[in-house]
Amino acid sequence: QVQLVESGGGLVQPGGSLTLSCAASGNIFRVNAMAWHRQAPGKQRELVATITRGGNTKYPDSVKGRFIISRDNTKNTLALQMNGLKPEDTAVYYCNANIQTGLTGNGNAYWGQGTQVTVSS
């Protein structure tokens, strides 16, 4: 059994900062690529940031230069530092990871339950 648990969401004013955290636990052999996604009301879920096990990162233009994704492979944790937040960043943010539970295989995708981020004055 593998679990991803997010924390750190909340209400923040425009221009403010917030850091989200995600912790993976359970029967984990290896955590491969990790990512943050978000879903705003009435919209499709979108990719916010990705990070490989080696630390290579990618961002869409909508958050590039404002968001920073990072991870700690020794603790199986993921973080998202969000700066210069805008009202359009309001969404439920989800942690996602490809996790191997054994030596063989390519791993499976796991998702957290989501954490609400609201940007409003």
Side-chain angles (χ1 to χ4, degrees):
Q1 191 82 1
V2 173
Q3 267 193 319
L4 294 178
V5 178
E6 302 104 333
S7 60
L11 174 64
V12 62
Q13 292 188 339
S17 298
L18 205 61
T19 298
L20 305 181
S21 299
C22 174
S25 63
N27 183 27
I28 296 172
F29 173 75
R30 178 186 174 102
V31 180
N32 298 315
M34 304 183 82
W36 288 98
H37 300 247
R38 67 185 180 188
Q39 188 166 19
K43 295 189 176 180
Q44 287 189 332
R45 189 172 294 190
E46 64 170 336
L47 180 64
V48 174
T50 63
I51 185 167
T52 65
R53 183 171 177 81
N56 292 320
T57 60
K58 286 186 179 180
Y59 307 90
D61 289 342
S62 58
V63 307
K64 195 176 294 181
R66 299 189 298 122
F67 289 10
I68 300 172
I69 188 172
S70 61
R71 64 187 290 170
D72 184 333
N73 292 335
T74 65
K75 297 179 181 178
N76 291 331
T77 57
L78 178 71
L80 184 69
Q81 181 181 338
M82 304 184 291
N83 304 311
L85 283 162
K86 306 175 182 179
E88 52 263 43
D89 294 318
T90 295
V92 177
Y93 284 70
Y94 297 90
C95 171
N96 162 242
N98 179 280
I99 297 176
Q100 291 176 245
T101 55
L103 181 62
T104 59
N106 296 321
N108 292 302
Y110 294 87
W111 291 84
Q113 82 287 352
T115 185
Q116 176 70 46
V117 172
T118 302
V119 184
S120 175
S121 54

